[in-house]
């Protein structure tokens, strides 16, 4: 796993579906195109939600991984 640079970070730990994704959408909306958002969540359902969201948007998932019940997503705004 390489260390990816990000411009903003969102701590969504402890939030249940759909809040991690909703807060990530709000954070991405505030970023300029090309900027990168790191999201850390603890909701296992976020894996499915974030993949579907990125697949249906112009944003790009640069990295996603899980470690000890935490799910991390590095998303570049489209």
């Amino acid at each position: 796993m390489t260390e990816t640079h990000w411009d903003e970070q969102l701590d969504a730990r402890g939030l249940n579906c759909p809040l991690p994704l909703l807060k990530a959408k709000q954070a991405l909306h505030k970023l300029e195109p090309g900027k990168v958002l790191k999201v850390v969540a603890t909701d296992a359902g976020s894996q499915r939600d974030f993949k579907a969201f990125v697949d249906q948007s112009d944003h790009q998932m640069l990295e996603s991984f899980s470690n000890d019940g935490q799910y991390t997503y590095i998303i570049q705004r489209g």
Side-chain angles (χ1 to χ4, degrees):
M1 174 176 57
T2 60
E3 189 65 29
T4 303
H5 166 79
W6 61 86
D7 300 292
E8 294 290 330
Q9 182 169 346
L10 172 64
D11 183 357
R13 293 177 289 190
L15 299 177
N16 293 322
C17 181
L19 288 176
L21 182 59
L22 292 176
K23 292 198 173 283
K25 284 181 180 180
Q26 291 173 337
L28 282 166
H29 183 71
K30 293 177 184 175
L31 291 178
E32 293 179 21
K35 297 291 186 178
V36 177
L37 175 67
K38 175 182 179 181
V39 181
V40 180
T42 50
D43 180 23
S46 68
Q47 296 175 95
R48 175 193 63 244
D49 294 343
F50 276 86
K51 180 182 181 337
F53 169 65
V54 171
D55 288 348
Q56 296 173 8
S57 73
D58 60 347
H59 307 308
Q60 181 180 2
M61 182 79 72
L62 301 178
E63 281 188 64
S64 70
F65 55 91
S66 62
N67 187 18
D68 291 331
Q70 287 196 147
Y71 306 92
T72 303
Y73 310 98
I74 312 290
I75 304 168
Q76 184 175 36
R77 178 168 180 203

